[in-house]
Amino acid sequence: MVAEHVELALFEQSLGNIEGLNRPFCDRVADAAEKTAGSVLFDVRVDGDTWVQRMAAIGYGETGTAIIVMEKNGHLRCASINGDTALLVAELAAWK
């Protein structure tokens, strides 16, 4: 359910784009976190990947975490994090 809330906030942002210009990824992630009562855990550029150029996480305490990925074509994707990948998110959040 966490990812769906973030996805909705990002969708609302896309409707508000002025003259088709997208805001920077970090601004969009921060805005989505604020609108969904979360906090940005990390926002990193992904070098050398075929499909992904940016990745960020928004944390919601005990509720969970959402990952936002920006593909090379500019499309954003959201997903909730499960227990298996929570350690990786924690490591990236500590590294930022």
Side-chain angles (χ1 to χ4, degrees), residues 5-78:
H5 292 294
V6 172
E7 219 170 271
L8 180 58
L10 293 170
F11 175 70
E12 288 173 357
Q13 289 177 5
S14 70
L15 294 176
N17 285 338
I18 299 170
E19 298 177 12
L21 298 175
N22 286 326
R23 292 173 37 209
F25 180 74
C26 61
D27 292 348
R28 296 176 74 188
V29 169
D31 187 51
E34 182 180 330
K35 286 181 177 179
T36 58
S39 60
V40 178
L41 301 177
F42 65 82
D43 174 2
V44 296
R45 181 178 42 204
V46 178
D47 291 326
D49 189 87
T50 306
W51 303 103
V52 176
Q53 64 176 313
R54 298 287 298 251
M55 181 172 56
I58 299 176
Y60 298 94
E62 296 299 318
T63 306
T65 304
I67 291 289
I68 304 161
V69 172
M70 183 168 69
E71 298 175 346
K72 297 278 184 180
N73 62 13
H75 290 119
L76 300 180
R77 305 253 184 227
C78 297

